[in-house]
Amino acid sequence: MDLGIKGRSGIVTAASKGLGRGCAEALAEAGVALTLNARGAEALEATAAEIRERYGVTVTTVAGDITTEAVRAEVMAACPAPDILVTNAGGPPPGMWSDWSRDDFIKAIDSNMLTPIALMQAALPGMMERGWGRVVNITSQSVKSPIAALGLSNSARAGLTGFVAGTSRQVAPSGVVINNLLPGIHDTDRAASLDAGVMKAEGISREEARDRRAAAIPARRYGTPAEFGAACAFLCSQYAGFIIGQNLLLDGGALNSTL
Ligand code: NAP
C-alpha cells in the first residue's frame, strides 16, 4: 500500500533499537527522509546505515539523551520542519509504589511525559503553519490497564495521554493529527529485561518467564517491532487524517475488554 508520504521528513526519537527502530524502518519503507536519535552513537549509526542501504532514504543522526533540552534542540535543528514526529524514550524501571522518591517520579515524568510534550511544542507550530502533520507518541498498554511493577510508567504516561487528548483536538483544524500507540509486550531489549525481572522475582528460568508472559496473551506470543512500525506508519500516512487523539492498543488481545 502506498501510504502517500514519500518525500516527507520525519523525526523518530529513541530509534536505534526496538519499537522506535521498527517505526523508523516502516517510515523509511514508505519513503520518508529520517532524523533519528538515541544515546549510544554506535548502535544509532549502525541502524542509520542499514536503513539508508535498505530503503534508499536520507537518514540524519543525532546522538544524545532526548530527555535533555540540548539534545531536543539539536534534533529540531537537524530537522527544522518535520512533517512527521514519532516520540519515544526509554521506559522507567520497575519497582514498588512505596519505594519511589520525588526524584524517581520527576525522572519518569521528564522522560515519558514532558519530553514528548516538549518535542510536540517544538514541532506543532510549523506543522500547523504548513497545514499538514502527523505525530505518534509511543506510550504503553499501562495507560489502559496498570502494570503493578511499573507505577512510574503508569503515572507519567497517563499525564501524556491527557495532554494529547486535549491538544490533538486543538491542532486538528490545521491538518495536524496526533495519536498514541500503546505497546503491549513486544520482542525488544526492554521486554527481555522485564523477563529477567520476572525470572528473578519468581526464581524461574528466563525461558519460563517468557513463556509465562506469552501465555497470558491471547495471540500467545510477543509482538514484533515490524508489526508495531507498520501501525505507526499508517498513523503517519495520508489516510490517517480523520483519526484524531486515539490510543491504539497493540497487545495481542492481552487487555480483556469489550471496548
Ligand atoms: P528498547 O528495545 O530498550 O529500545 C529503546 C531505544 O530507545 C534504544 O534505541 C535506546 O538507545 C533508546 N533510548 C532509550 N532511552 C533514551 C533516551 N533517554 N534518549 C534517547 N534514546 C533513548 O525499548 P522498547 O522495547 O523499544 O521500548 C520503547 C518504549 O516503549 C519504552 O518507553 C518502553 O517502556 C515502551 N514499552 C515497551 C514495551 C515492550 O514490550 N517492548 C511494552 C510497553 C511499553 P540508547 O540506549 O542507545 O539510548
Side-chain angles (χ1 to χ4, degrees), residues 11-24 37-38 64-67 72 85-91 111-112 115-116 119 135-140 157 160 181 183 188 228:
I11 294 171
V12 186
T13 65
S16 64
K17 297 178 192 163
L19 303 180
R21 177 173 175 155
C23 294
N37 150 267
D65 185 340
I66 197 62
T67 67
R72 288 194 295 272
L85 169 66
V86 179
T87 77
N88 185 32
S111 189
N112 299 116
T115 290
L119 286 164
V135 179
V136 170
N137 301 292
I138 300 180
T139 67
S140 171
R157 298 188 201 273
L160 173 61
L181 274 182
T188 68
F228 190 87

PDB file of all heavy atoms in Angstrom, residues 11-24 37-38 64-67 72 85-91 111-112 115-116 119 135-140 157 160 181 183 188 228:
ATOM      1  N   ILE A  11      10.967  12.781  12.186  1.00  0.00           N
ATOM      2  CA  ILE A  11      11.876  12.579  13.325  1.00  0.00           C
ATOM      3  C   ILE A  11      11.374  11.365  14.098  1.00  0.00           C
ATOM      4  O   ILE A  11      10.168  11.271  14.373  1.00  0.00           O
ATOM      5  CB  ILE A  11      11.839  13.811  14.267  1.00  0.00           C
ATOM      6  CG1 ILE A  11      12.409  15.045  13.568  1.00  0.00           C
ATOM      7  CG2 ILE A  11      12.565  13.525  15.575  1.00  0.00           C
ATOM      8  CD1 ILE A  11      12.211  16.355  14.362  1.00  0.00           C
ATOM      9  N   VAL A  12      12.278  10.458  14.438  1.00  0.00           N
ATOM     10  CA  VAL A  12      11.929   9.380  15.375  1.00  0.00           C
ATOM     11  C   VAL A  12      12.967   9.412  16.488  1.00  0.00           C
ATOM     12  O   VAL A  12      14.174   9.260  16.223  1.00  0.00           O
ATOM     13  CB  VAL A  12      11.928   7.983  14.714  1.00  0.00           C
ATOM     14  CG1 VAL A  12      11.399   6.938  15.708  1.00  0.00           C
ATOM     15  CG2 VAL A  12      11.085   7.966  13.435  1.00  0.00           C
ATOM     16  N   THR A  13      12.538   9.626  17.716  1.00  0.00           N
ATOM     17  CA  THR A  13      13.488   9.661  18.833  1.00  0.00           C
ATOM     18  C   THR A  13      13.581   8.267  19.466  1.00  0.00           C
ATOM     19  O   THR A  13      12.664   7.451  19.332  1.00  0.00           O
ATOM     20  CB  THR A  13      13.074  10.709  19.895  1.00  0.00           C
ATOM     21  OG1 THR A  13      11.839  10.316  20.501  1.00  0.00           O
ATOM     22  CG2 THR A  13      12.922  12.089  19.276  1.00  0.00           C
ATOM     23  N   ALA A  14      14.698   8.025  20.143  1.00  0.00           N
ATOM     24  CA  ALA A  14      14.952   6.715  20.777  1.00  0.00           C
ATOM     25  C   ALA A  14      14.734   5.599  19.765  1.00  0.00           C
ATOM     26  O   ALA A  14      13.908   4.705  19.957  1.00  0.00           O
ATOM     27  CB  ALA A  14      14.069   6.541  22.015  1.00  0.00           C
ATOM     28  N   ALA A  15      15.501   5.657  18.679  1.00  0.00           N
ATOM     29  CA  ALA A  15      15.155   4.854  17.497  1.00  0.00           C
ATOM     30  C   ALA A  15      16.247   3.908  17.019  1.00  0.00           C
ATOM     31  O   ALA A  15      16.140   3.360  15.931  1.00  0.00           O
ATOM     32  CB  ALA A  15      14.784   5.794  16.351  1.00  0.00           C
ATOM     33  N   SER A  16      17.294   3.671  17.830  1.00  0.00           N
ATOM     34  CA  SER A  16      18.346   2.771  17.323  1.00  0.00           C
ATOM     35  C   SER A  16      17.961   1.310  17.467  1.00  0.00           C
ATOM     36  O   SER A  16      18.543   0.443  16.831  1.00  0.00           O
ATOM     37  CB  SER A  16      19.675   3.039  18.043  1.00  0.00           C
ATOM     38  OG  SER A  16      19.567   2.734  19.417  1.00  0.00           O
ATOM     39  N   LYS A  17      16.993   1.033  18.333  1.00  0.00           N
ATOM     40  CA  LYS A  17      16.596  -0.359  18.606  1.00  0.00           C
ATOM     41  C   LYS A  17      15.090  -0.425  18.839  1.00  0.00           C
ATOM     42  O   LYS A  17      14.433   0.612  18.958  1.00  0.00           O
ATOM     43  CB  LYS A  17      17.268  -0.842  19.909  1.00  0.00           C
ATOM     44  CG  LYS A  17      18.758  -0.890  19.870  1.00  0.00           C
ATOM     45  CD  LYS A  17      19.286  -1.330  21.230  1.00  0.00           C
ATOM     46  CE  LYS A  17      20.784  -1.122  21.329  1.00  0.00           C
ATOM     47  NZ  LYS A  17      21.258  -1.154  22.699  1.00  0.00           N
ATOM     48  N   GLY A  18      14.590  -1.639  18.959  1.00  0.00           N
ATOM     49  CA  GLY A  18      13.233  -1.880  19.459  1.00  0.00           C
ATOM     50  C   GLY A  18      12.128  -1.204  18.669  1.00  0.00           C
ATOM     51  O   GLY A  18      12.144  -1.155  17.428  1.00  0.00           O
ATOM     52  N   LEU A  19      11.151  -0.687  19.396  1.00  0.00           N
ATOM     53  CA  LEU A  19       9.943  -0.152  18.770  1.00  0.00           C
ATOM     54  C   LEU A  19      10.238   1.112  17.963  1.00  0.00           C
ATOM     55  O   LEU A  19       9.654   1.325  16.892  1.00  0.00           O
ATOM     56  CB  LEU A  19       8.886   0.139  19.847  1.00  0.00           C
ATOM     57  CG  LEU A  19       8.501  -1.068  20.711  1.00  0.00           C
ATOM     58  CD1 LEU A  19       7.448  -0.677  21.747  1.00  0.00           C
ATOM     59  CD2 LEU A  19       7.998  -2.220  19.843  1.00  0.00           C
ATOM     60  N   GLY A  20      11.128   1.957  18.475  1.00  0.00           N
ATOM     61  CA  GLY A  20      11.496   3.178  17.739  1.00  0.00           C
ATOM     62  C   GLY A  20      12.107   2.817  16.401  1.00  0.00           C
ATOM     63  O   GLY A  20      11.784   3.406  15.360  1.00  0.00           O
ATOM     64  N   ARG A  21      12.978   1.827  16.419  1.00  0.00           N
ATOM     65  CA  ARG A  21      13.592   1.387  15.168  1.00  0.00           C
ATOM     66  C   ARG A  21      12.536   0.787  14.226  1.00  0.00           C
ATOM     67  O   ARG A  21      12.561   1.027  13.015  1.00  0.00           O
ATOM     68  CB  ARG A  21      14.697   0.363  15.437  1.00  0.00           C
ATOM     69  CG  ARG A  21      15.272  -0.125  14.133  1.00  0.00           C
ATOM     70  CD  ARG A  21      16.475  -1.017  14.282  1.00  0.00           C
ATOM     71  NE  ARG A  21      16.833  -1.505  12.950  1.00  0.00           N
ATOM     72  CZ  ARG A  21      18.029  -1.896  12.586  1.00  0.00           C
ATOM     73  NH1 ARG A  21      18.999  -1.861  13.451  1.00  0.00           N
ATOM     74  NH2 ARG A  21      18.264  -2.322  11.360  1.00  0.00           N
ATOM     75  N   GLY A  22      11.605   0.028  14.782  1.00  0.00           N
ATOM     76  CA  GLY A  22      10.522  -0.538  13.966  1.00  0.00           C
ATOM     77  C   GLY A  22       9.759   0.571  13.252  1.00  0.00           C
ATOM     78  O   GLY A  22       9.437   0.460  12.060  1.00  0.00           O
ATOM     79  N   CYS A  23       9.484   1.656  13.971  1.00  0.00           N
ATOM     80  CA  CYS A  23       8.766   2.795  13.366  1.00  0.00           C
ATOM     81  C   CYS A  23       9.630   3.450  12.289  1.00  0.00           C
ATOM     82  O   CYS A  23       9.146   3.787  11.199  1.00  0.00           O
ATOM     83  CB  CYS A  23       8.406   3.828  14.443  1.00  0.00           C
ATOM     84  SG  CYS A  23       7.222   3.201  15.646  1.00  0.00           S
ATOM     85  N   ALA A  24      10.922   3.623  12.589  1.00  0.00           N
ATOM     86  CA  ALA A  24      11.825   4.257  11.620  1.00  0.00           C
ATOM     87  C   ALA A  24      11.877   3.435  10.335  1.00  0.00           C
ATOM     88  O   ALA A  24      11.820   3.992   9.227  1.00  0.00           O
ATOM     89  CB  ALA A  24      13.220   4.391  12.238  1.00  0.00           C
ATOM     90  N   ASN A  37      17.369   9.517  16.515  1.00  0.00           N
ATOM     91  CA  ASN A  37      18.100   9.815  17.746  1.00  0.00           C
ATOM     92  C   ASN A  37      18.162   8.586  18.659  1.00  0.00           C
ATOM     93  O   ASN A  37      17.265   7.755  18.658  1.00  0.00           O
ATOM     94  CB  ASN A  37      17.375  10.995  18.467  1.00  0.00           C
ATOM     95  CG  ASN A  37      17.522  10.927  19.975  1.00  0.00           C
ATOM     96  OD1 ASN A  37      16.684  10.369  20.670  1.00  0.00           O
ATOM     97  ND2 ASN A  37      18.590  11.474  20.476  1.00  0.00           N
ATOM     98  N   ALA A  38      19.240   8.490  19.399  1.00  0.00           N
ATOM     99  CA  ALA A  38      19.390   7.555  20.524  1.00  0.00           C
ATOM    100  C   ALA A  38      20.643   8.006  21.260  1.00  0.00           C
ATOM    101  O   ALA A  38      21.414   8.813  20.720  1.00  0.00           O
ATOM    102  CB  ALA A  38      19.543   6.106  20.055  1.00  0.00           C
ATOM    103  N   GLY A  64      22.386  11.363  21.570  1.00  0.00           N
ATOM    104  CA  GLY A  64      22.270  12.071  22.844  1.00  0.00           C
ATOM    105  C   GLY A  64      20.974  11.731  23.550  1.00  0.00           C
ATOM    106  O   GLY A  64      20.069  11.130  22.965  1.00  0.00           O
ATOM    107  N   ASP A  65      20.906  12.157  24.791  1.00  0.00           N
ATOM    108  CA  ASP A  65      19.755  11.846  25.648  1.00  0.00           C
ATOM    109  C   ASP A  65      18.592  12.800  25.325  1.00  0.00           C
ATOM    110  O   ASP A  65      18.684  14.000  25.592  1.00  0.00           O
ATOM    111  CB  ASP A  65      20.195  11.997  27.113  1.00  0.00           C
ATOM    112  CG  ASP A  65      19.107  11.566  28.080  1.00  0.00           C
ATOM    113  OD1 ASP A  65      17.921  11.517  27.689  1.00  0.00           O
ATOM    114  OD2 ASP A  65      19.462  11.288  29.239  1.00  0.00           O
ATOM    115  N   ILE A  66      17.529  12.246  24.786  1.00  0.00           N
ATOM    116  CA  ILE A  66      16.405  13.067  24.316  1.00  0.00           C
ATOM    117  C   ILE A  66      15.651  13.723  25.477  1.00  0.00           C
ATOM    118  O   ILE A  66      14.867  14.660  25.264  1.00  0.00           O
ATOM    119  CB  ILE A  66      15.434  12.222  23.429  1.00  0.00           C
ATOM    120  CG1 ILE A  66      14.503  13.100  22.587  1.00  0.00           C
ATOM    121  CG2 ILE A  66      14.620  11.237  24.268  1.00  0.00           C
ATOM    122  CD1 ILE A  66      15.180  13.992  21.604  1.00  0.00           C
ATOM    123  N   THR A  67      15.912  13.276  26.704  1.00  0.00           N
ATOM    124  CA  THR A  67      15.238  13.917  27.839  1.00  0.00           C
ATOM    125  C   THR A  67      15.904  15.249  28.210  1.00  0.00           C
ATOM    126  O   THR A  67      15.444  15.939  29.113  1.00  0.00           O
ATOM    127  CB  THR A  67      15.199  12.990  29.075  1.00  0.00           C
ATOM    128  OG1 THR A  67      16.533  12.805  29.563  1.00  0.00           O
ATOM    129  CG2 THR A  67      14.591  11.641  28.737  1.00  0.00           C
ATOM    130  N   ARG A  72      17.223  17.791  22.459  1.00  0.00           N
ATOM    131  CA  ARG A  72      15.970  18.077  21.712  1.00  0.00           C
ATOM    132  C   ARG A  72      16.198  19.225  20.729  1.00  0.00           C
ATOM    133  O   ARG A  72      15.747  19.185  19.578  1.00  0.00           O
ATOM    134  CB  ARG A  72      14.826  18.404  22.680  1.00  0.00           C
ATOM    135  CG  ARG A  72      14.323  17.177  23.439  1.00  0.00           C
ATOM    136  CD  ARG A  72      12.999  17.450  24.116  1.00  0.00           C
ATOM    137  NE  ARG A  72      13.059  18.454  25.169  1.00  0.00           N
ATOM    138  CZ  ARG A  72      13.341  18.191  26.452  1.00  0.00           C
ATOM    139  NH1 ARG A  72      13.561  16.956  26.853  1.00  0.00           N
ATOM    140  NH2 ARG A  72      13.367  19.162  27.351  1.00  0.00           N
ATOM    141  N   LEU A  85       6.453  13.303  13.372  1.00  0.00           N
ATOM    142  CA  LEU A  85       7.216  13.206  14.626  1.00  0.00           C
ATOM    143  C   LEU A  85       6.762  11.955  15.369  1.00  0.00           C
ATOM    144  O   LEU A  85       5.568  11.803  15.652  1.00  0.00           O
ATOM    145  CB  LEU A  85       6.951  14.445  15.503  1.00  0.00           C
ATOM    146  CG  LEU A  85       7.448  14.384  16.945  1.00  0.00           C
ATOM    147  CD1 LEU A  85       8.980  14.341  17.014  1.00  0.00           C
ATOM    148  CD2 LEU A  85       6.917  15.582  17.754  1.00  0.00           C
ATOM    149  N   VAL A  86       7.705  11.070  15.645  1.00  0.00           N
ATOM    150  CA  VAL A  86       7.399   9.895  16.477  1.00  0.00           C
ATOM    151  C   VAL A  86       8.203  10.047  17.754  1.00  0.00           C
ATOM    152  O   VAL A  86       9.446  10.073  17.717  1.00  0.00           O
ATOM    153  CB  VAL A  86       7.767   8.577  15.764  1.00  0.00           C
ATOM    154  CG1 VAL A  86       7.450   7.381  16.665  1.00  0.00           C
ATOM    155  CG2 VAL A  86       7.020   8.457  14.434  1.00  0.00           C
ATOM    156  N   THR A  87       7.511  10.209  18.887  1.00  0.00           N
ATOM    157  CA  THR A  87       8.231  10.397  20.148  1.00  0.00           C
ATOM    158  C   THR A  87       8.356   9.079  20.894  1.00  0.00           C
ATOM    159  O   THR A  87       7.415   8.298  20.967  1.00  0.00           O
ATOM    160  CB  THR A  87       7.554  11.432  21.069  1.00  0.00           C
ATOM    161  OG1 THR A  87       6.402  10.855  21.697  1.00  0.00           O
ATOM    162  CG2 THR A  87       7.152  12.693  20.319  1.00  0.00           C
ATOM    163  N   ASN A  88       9.538   8.869  21.448  1.00  0.00           N
ATOM    164  CA  ASN A  88       9.833   7.652  22.184  1.00  0.00           C
ATOM    165  C   ASN A  88      10.994   7.944  23.113  1.00  0.00           C
ATOM    166  O   ASN A  88      11.796   8.837  22.840  1.00  0.00           O
ATOM    167  CB  ASN A  88      10.209   6.540  21.191  1.00  0.00           C
ATOM    168  CG  ASN A  88      10.412   5.193  21.852  1.00  0.00           C
ATOM    169  OD1 ASN A  88       9.769   4.866  22.849  1.00  0.00           O
ATOM    170  ND2 ASN A  88      11.305   4.389  21.297  1.00  0.00           N
ATOM    171  N   ALA A  89      11.055   7.235  24.228  1.00  0.00           N
ATOM    172  CA  ALA A  89      12.212   7.302  25.136  1.00  0.00           C
ATOM    173  C   ALA A  89      12.195   6.015  25.937  1.00  0.00           C
ATOM    174  O   ALA A  89      11.218   5.273  25.889  1.00  0.00           O
ATOM    175  CB  ALA A  89      12.105   8.509  26.061  1.00  0.00           C
ATOM    176  N   GLY A  90      13.257   5.751  26.650  1.00  0.00           N
ATOM    177  CA  GLY A  90      13.284   4.533  27.459  1.00  0.00           C
ATOM    178  C   GLY A  90      12.205   4.581  28.529  1.00  0.00           C
ATOM    179  O   GLY A  90      11.759   5.649  28.937  1.00  0.00           O
ATOM    180  N   GLY A  91      11.766   3.392  28.954  1.00  0.00           N
ATOM    181  CA  GLY A  91      10.736   3.318  29.999  1.00  0.00           C
ATOM    182  C   GLY A  91      11.370   3.334  31.382  1.00  0.00           C
ATOM    183  O   GLY A  91      12.524   2.960  31.544  1.00  0.00           O
ATOM    184  N   SER A 111      10.944  11.967  31.355  1.00  0.00           N
ATOM    185  CA  SER A 111      11.235  11.088  30.237  1.00  0.00           C
ATOM    186  C   SER A 111       9.990  10.754  29.416  1.00  0.00           C
ATOM    187  O   SER A 111      10.008  10.812  28.186  1.00  0.00           O
ATOM    188  CB  SER A 111      11.845   9.830  30.850  1.00  0.00           C
ATOM    189  OG  SER A 111      12.333   9.011  29.890  1.00  0.00           O
ATOM    190  N   ASN A 112       8.917  10.397  30.083  1.00  0.00           N
ATOM    191  CA  ASN A 112       7.760   9.814  29.392  1.00  0.00           C
ATOM    192  C   ASN A 112       6.545  10.734  29.303  1.00  0.00           C
ATOM    193  O   ASN A 112       5.518  10.340  28.764  1.00  0.00           O
ATOM    194  CB  ASN A 112       7.371   8.481  30.046  1.00  0.00           C
ATOM    195  CG  ASN A 112       8.503   7.464  29.960  1.00  0.00           C
ATOM    196  OD1 ASN A 112       9.043   7.037  30.963  1.00  0.00           O
ATOM    197  ND2 ASN A 112       8.909   7.107  28.749  1.00  0.00           N
ATOM    198  N   THR A 115       9.136  15.159  27.982  1.00  0.00           N
ATOM    199  CA  THR A 115       9.955  15.121  26.758  1.00  0.00           C
ATOM    200  C   THR A 115       9.085  15.065  25.504  1.00  0.00           C
ATOM    201  O   THR A 115       9.258  15.889  24.591  1.00  0.00           O
ATOM    202  CB  THR A 115      10.983  13.968  26.826  1.00  0.00           C
ATOM    203  OG1 THR A 115      11.961  14.324  27.804  1.00  0.00           O
ATOM    204  CG2 THR A 115      11.659  13.711  25.496  1.00  0.00           C
ATOM    205  N   PRO A 116       8.123  14.109  25.420  1.00  0.00           N
ATOM    206  CA  PRO A 116       7.263  14.140  24.223  1.00  0.00           C
ATOM    207  C   PRO A 116       6.457  15.437  24.102  1.00  0.00           C
ATOM    208  O   PRO A 116       6.262  15.941  22.985  1.00  0.00           O
ATOM    209  CB  PRO A 116       6.336  12.924  24.400  1.00  0.00           C
ATOM    210  CG  PRO A 116       6.577  12.405  25.767  1.00  0.00           C
ATOM    211  CD  PRO A 116       7.888  12.913  26.237  1.00  0.00           C
ATOM    212  N   LEU A 119       8.777  18.034  22.626  1.00  0.00           N
ATOM    213  CA  LEU A 119       9.003  17.787  21.188  1.00  0.00           C
ATOM    214  C   LEU A 119       7.784  18.235  20.380  1.00  0.00           C
ATOM    215  O   LEU A 119       7.910  18.830  19.311  1.00  0.00           O
ATOM    216  CB  LEU A 119       9.295  16.297  20.955  1.00  0.00           C
ATOM    217  CG  LEU A 119      10.696  15.833  21.405  1.00  0.00           C
ATOM    218  CD1 LEU A 119      10.749  14.306  21.511  1.00  0.00           C
ATOM    219  CD2 LEU A 119      11.771  16.339  20.449  1.00  0.00           C
ATOM    220  N   VAL A 135       1.782  13.140  14.262  1.00  0.00           N
ATOM    221  CA  VAL A 135       2.563  12.839  15.466  1.00  0.00           C
ATOM    222  C   VAL A 135       2.067  11.516  16.046  1.00  0.00           C
ATOM    223  O   VAL A 135       0.854  11.310  16.176  1.00  0.00           O
ATOM    224  CB  VAL A 135       2.406  13.946  16.538  1.00  0.00           C
ATOM    225  CG1 VAL A 135       3.211  13.590  17.796  1.00  0.00           C
ATOM    226  CG2 VAL A 135       2.842  15.306  15.994  1.00  0.00           C
ATOM    227  N   VAL A 136       2.998  10.649  16.335  1.00  0.00           N
ATOM    228  CA  VAL A 136       2.669   9.409  17.056  1.00  0.00           C
ATOM    229  C   VAL A 136       3.550   9.363  18.296  1.00  0.00           C
ATOM    230  O   VAL A 136       4.779   9.505  18.202  1.00  0.00           O
ATOM    231  CB  VAL A 136       2.931   8.159  16.176  1.00  0.00           C
ATOM    232  CG1 VAL A 136       2.812   6.886  17.015  1.00  0.00           C
ATOM    233  CG2 VAL A 136       1.949   8.096  15.007  1.00  0.00           C
ATOM    234  N   ASN A 137       2.916   9.187  19.452  1.00  0.00           N
ATOM    235  CA  ASN A 137       3.673   9.021  20.692  1.00  0.00           C
ATOM    236  C   ASN A 137       3.630   7.548  21.092  1.00  0.00           C
ATOM    237  O   ASN A 137       2.542   6.951  21.158  1.00  0.00           O
ATOM    238  CB  ASN A 137       3.037   9.854  21.815  1.00  0.00           C
ATOM    239  CG  ASN A 137       3.004  11.325  21.467  1.00  0.00           C
ATOM    240  OD1 ASN A 137       4.044  11.974  21.392  1.00  0.00           O
ATOM    241  ND2 ASN A 137       1.814  11.862  21.218  1.00  0.00           N
ATOM    242  N   ILE A 138       4.795   6.984  21.353  1.00  0.00           N
ATOM    243  CA  ILE A 138       4.835   5.603  21.843  1.00  0.00           C
ATOM    244  C   ILE A 138       4.635   5.658  23.360  1.00  0.00           C
ATOM    245  O   ILE A 138       5.455   6.225  24.080  1.00  0.00           O
ATOM    246  CB  ILE A 138       6.177   4.918  21.495  1.00  0.00           C
ATOM    247  CG1 ILE A 138       6.372   4.883  19.968  1.00  0.00           C
ATOM    248  CG2 ILE A 138       6.220   3.503  22.082  1.00  0.00           C
ATOM    249  CD1 ILE A 138       7.671   4.231  19.506  1.00  0.00           C
ATOM    250  N   THR A 139       3.506   5.118  23.821  1.00  0.00           N
ATOM    251  CA  THR A 139       3.238   5.143  25.265  1.00  0.00           C
ATOM    252  C   THR A 139       3.302   3.704  25.775  1.00  0.00           C
ATOM    253  O   THR A 139       4.324   3.063  25.662  1.00  0.00           O
ATOM    254  CB  THR A 139       1.917   5.870  25.586  1.00  0.00           C
ATOM    255  OG1 THR A 139       0.789   5.142  25.096  1.00  0.00           O
ATOM    256  CG2 THR A 139       1.913   7.276  25.012  1.00  0.00           C
ATOM    257  N   SER A 140       2.192   3.162  26.285  1.00  0.00           N
ATOM    258  CA  SER A 140       2.227   1.788  26.815  1.00  0.00           C
ATOM    259  C   SER A 140       0.812   1.303  27.076  1.00  0.00           C
ATOM    260  O   SER A 140      -0.098   2.097  27.334  1.00  0.00           O
ATOM    261  CB  SER A 140       3.011   1.767  28.125  1.00  0.00           C
ATOM    262  OG  SER A 140       2.882   0.508  28.742  1.00  0.00           O
ATOM    263  N   ARG A 157       2.821   8.253  31.888  1.00  0.00           N
ATOM    264  CA  ARG A 157       2.180   8.116  30.571  1.00  0.00           C
ATOM    265  C   ARG A 157       0.712   8.540  30.615  1.00  0.00           C
ATOM    266  O   ARG A 157       0.165   8.975  29.599  1.00  0.00           O
ATOM    267  CB  ARG A 157       2.337   6.689  30.069  1.00  0.00           C
ATOM    268  CG  ARG A 157       3.804   6.291  29.861  1.00  0.00           C
ATOM    269  CD  ARG A 157       3.889   4.959  29.195  1.00  0.00           C
ATOM    270  NE  ARG A 157       5.146   4.264  29.360  1.00  0.00           N
ATOM    271  CZ  ARG A 157       6.217   4.400  28.586  1.00  0.00           C
ATOM    272  NH1 ARG A 157       6.226   5.279  27.625  1.00  0.00           N
ATOM    273  NH2 ARG A 157       7.297   3.680  28.795  1.00  0.00           N
ATOM    274  N   LEU A 160       0.795  12.198  29.863  1.00  0.00           N
ATOM    275  CA  LEU A 160       0.966  12.474  28.431  1.00  0.00           C
ATOM    276  C   LEU A 160      -0.348  12.223  27.683  1.00  0.00           C
ATOM    277  O   LEU A 160      -0.737  12.995  26.801  1.00  0.00           O
ATOM    278  CB  LEU A 160       2.070  11.577  27.852  1.00  0.00           C
ATOM    279  CG  LEU A 160       2.244  11.628  26.335  1.00  0.00           C
ATOM    280  CD1 LEU A 160       2.624  13.034  25.877  1.00  0.00           C
ATOM    281  CD2 LEU A 160       3.290  10.610  25.870  1.00  0.00           C
ATOM    282  N   LEU A 181       0.345   5.304  20.294  1.00  0.00           N
ATOM    283  CA  LEU A 181       0.397   3.849  20.112  1.00  0.00           C
ATOM    284  C   LEU A 181       0.763   3.226  21.449  1.00  0.00           C
ATOM    285  O   LEU A 181       1.750   3.635  22.083  1.00  0.00           O
ATOM    286  CB  LEU A 181       1.456   3.476  19.084  1.00  0.00           C
ATOM    287  CG  LEU A 181       1.044   3.477  17.621  1.00  0.00           C
ATOM    288  CD1 LEU A 181       2.226   3.034  16.761  1.00  0.00           C
ATOM    289  CD2 LEU A 181      -0.165   2.590  17.363  1.00  0.00           C
ATOM    290  N   PRO A 183       2.012   0.025  23.178  1.00  0.00           N
ATOM    291  CA  PRO A 183       2.515  -1.339  23.041  1.00  0.00           C
ATOM    292  C   PRO A 183       2.175  -2.207  24.242  1.00  0.00           C
ATOM    293  O   PRO A 183       2.329  -1.783  25.392  1.00  0.00           O
ATOM    294  CB  PRO A 183       4.031  -1.151  22.930  1.00  0.00           C
ATOM    295  CG  PRO A 183       4.328   0.180  23.518  1.00  0.00           C
ATOM    296  CD  PRO A 183       3.091   1.011  23.378  1.00  0.00           C
ATOM    297  N   THR A 188      11.664  -6.946  22.348  1.00  0.00           N
ATOM    298  CA  THR A 188      12.757  -5.972  22.291  1.00  0.00           C
ATOM    299  C   THR A 188      13.646  -6.168  23.524  1.00  0.00           C
ATOM    300  O   THR A 188      13.317  -6.975  24.401  1.00  0.00           O
ATOM    301  CB  THR A 188      12.210  -4.525  22.328  1.00  0.00           C
ATOM    302  OG1 THR A 188      11.640  -4.313  23.627  1.00  0.00           O
ATOM    303  CG2 THR A 188      11.152  -4.268  21.268  1.00  0.00           C
ATOM    304  N   PHE A 228       4.660  -3.335  14.895  1.00  0.00           N
ATOM    305  CA  PHE A 228       4.427  -2.067  15.580  1.00  0.00           C
ATOM    306  C   PHE A 228       4.716  -0.891  14.643  1.00  0.00           C
ATOM    307  O   PHE A 228       3.933   0.060  14.540  1.00  0.00           O
ATOM    308  CB  PHE A 228       5.322  -1.994  16.828  1.00  0.00           C
ATOM    309  CG  PHE A 228       4.991  -0.857  17.733  1.00  0.00           C
ATOM    310  CD1 PHE A 228       4.031  -0.987  18.718  1.00  0.00           C
ATOM    311  CD2 PHE A 228       5.632   0.368  17.592  1.00  0.00           C
ATOM    312  CE1 PHE A 228       3.711   0.081  19.551  1.00  0.00           C
ATOM    313  CE2 PHE A 228       5.318   1.437  18.414  1.00  0.00           C
ATOM    314  CZ  PHE A 228       4.365   1.288  19.395  1.00  0.00           C
TER     315      PHE A 228
END
